[in-house]
Amino acid sequence: MRISRSLFTALPVLAAALLPAVAVAQQPGLDALTIRETGDGQVWSLSVQVLVLMTLLTLLPAMVMMMTAFTRIIVVLAILRQALGTASTPSNQVLIGLALFLTLFVMMPVFDEVREAAFEPYMNGEIEAPEALQAGSEPLRDFMIAQTREEDIGLFLRIADYGEVETPDDVPLSILIPAFMTSELKTAFIIGFVLYLPFLVIDLVVASTLMSMGMLMLSPMIISLPFKIMLFVLVDGWSLVMGTLASSFFI
């Protein structure tokens, strides 16, 4: 108890003694948060660059979902799991892992273009941050435009009262991103519907058979699940689904 009381008594004294030192130590750090104008443009200090980088990292999950192939892939995989009738197999972690790596496979050519057009010139000091951001967004824009339906773009243009655009390159990102998301959801549900039909037929056949045999107390899902899994394995379903999803972005 004496040691605790002595410690609590000494803490305010130590804090008062250290406050001037902390203030002096923090004062030079404020000069690092600067953006200087030079003849070649703006020079951002290291602290500002780190701040911008950390801000972009917080937006990375949203960018992965909204500007890549991730949405279509994860929706189709979720519908496939529902069609199989396995509520938690594969688990959410497995589905997200599959979707992430398949997204990386599909988006690798786009990421290579971003690296060559924006990242490497910026790291070599050839272009500034705003120019790198503009150059890096062009490959993503081209990818999204190639996967977006014209009617979806027209819908958001009418909602925003933006007016007519002459070329797809004139569509702003604020309109292109929601149009791309809407189009991806449509495509994902179309693929999911096609995947769902064979399993639905098996459920109907099993349910009709059980009713004809008078087994009303036995759940058809219990009987149909092994048949659906067997069918999916025999036709090499995972390879077909993954190959179909990957090829759907390159048509």
Side-chain angles (χ1 to χ4, degrees), residues 14-42:
L14 290 174
L18 291 176
L19 277 177
V22 173
V24 172
Q26 289 181 346
Q27 187 64 29
L30 295 177
D31 296 333
L33 297 171
T34 57
I35 300 177
R36 300 194 311 273
E37 294 286 346
T38 62
D40 298 329
Q42 292 182 343

Side-chain angles (χ1 to χ4, degrees), residues 15-120:
L18 291 176
L19 277 177
V22 173
V24 172
Q26 289 181 346
Q27 187 64 29
L30 295 177
D31 296 333
L33 297 171
T34 57
I35 300 177
R36 300 194 311 273
E37 294 286 346
T38 62
D40 298 329
Q42 292 182 343
V43 178
W44 294 13
S45 65
L46 180 60
S47 299
V48 174
Q49 295 182 22
V50 172
L51 179 63
V52 172
L53 178 61
M54 296 302 294
T55 304
L56 291 177
L57 287 178
T58 59
L59 298 176
L60 184 60
M63 295 174 62
V64 169
M65 289 188 293
M66 297 174 59
M67 303 176 67
T68 65
F70 181 81
T71 299
R72 181 190 304 185
I73 296 171
I74 193 62
V75 170
V76 170
L77 292 179
I79 294 176
L80 174 62
R81 183 176 64 178
Q82 184 70 25
L84 282 171
T86 55
S88 58
T89 304
S91 63
N92 292 333
Q93 292 83 354
V94 174
L95 290 185
I96 292 174
L98 286 173
L100 282 175
F101 280 98
L102 191 57
T103 300
L104 183 63
F105 171 77
V106 172
M107 300 296 297
M108 188 56 68
V110 180
F111 292 155
D112 289 338
E113 293 182 15
V114 173
R115 177 178 55 83
E116 295 175 0
F119 182 75
E120 291 182 352

Side-chain angles (χ1 to χ4, degrees), residues 83-225:
L84 282 171
T86 55
S88 58
T89 304
S91 63
N92 292 333
Q93 292 83 354
V94 174
L95 290 185
I96 292 174
L98 286 173
L100 282 175
F101 280 98
L102 191 57
T103 300
L104 183 63
F105 171 77
V106 172
M107 300 296 297
M108 188 56 68
V110 180
F111 292 155
D112 289 338
E113 293 182 15
V114 173
R115 177 178 55 83
E116 295 175 0
F119 182 75
E120 291 182 352
Y122 175 72
M123 295 302 295
N124 295 331
E126 300 175 2
I127 58 177
E128 299 296 332
E131 299 175 1
L133 185 61
Q134 179 66 26
S137 64
E138 290 301 323
L140 287 173
R141 172 189 287 272
D142 294 340
F143 171 80
M144 289 189 291
I145 289 177
Q147 304 298 327
T148 306
R149 296 175 175 83
E150 294 183 2
E151 55 267 25
D152 294 327
I153 296 178
L155 170 65
F156 285 95
L157 285 174
R158 291 192 300 271
I159 293 174
D161 197 15
Y162 190 82
E164 298 292 334
V165 292
E166 297 181 358
T167 62
D169 295 333
D170 297 332
V171 179
L173 284 177
S174 60
I175 291 176
L176 179 58
I177 291 177
F180 171 74
M181 289 290 294
T182 304
S183 186
E184 285 293 282
L185 289 175
K186 288 182 180 179
T187 305
F189 274 86
I190 291 173
I191 298 175
F193 172 76
V194 175
L195 287 175
Y196 212 110
L197 284 180
F199 303 108
L200 180 61
V201 172
I202 294 176
D203 287 334
L204 291 175
V205 171
V206 171
S208 300
T209 304
L210 291 178
M211 289 184 64
S212 63
M213 296 174 63
M215 295 179 165
L216 301 179
M217 301 301 294
L218 184 62
S219 175
M221 295 296 297
I222 299 176
I223 307 301
S224 63
L225 180 59

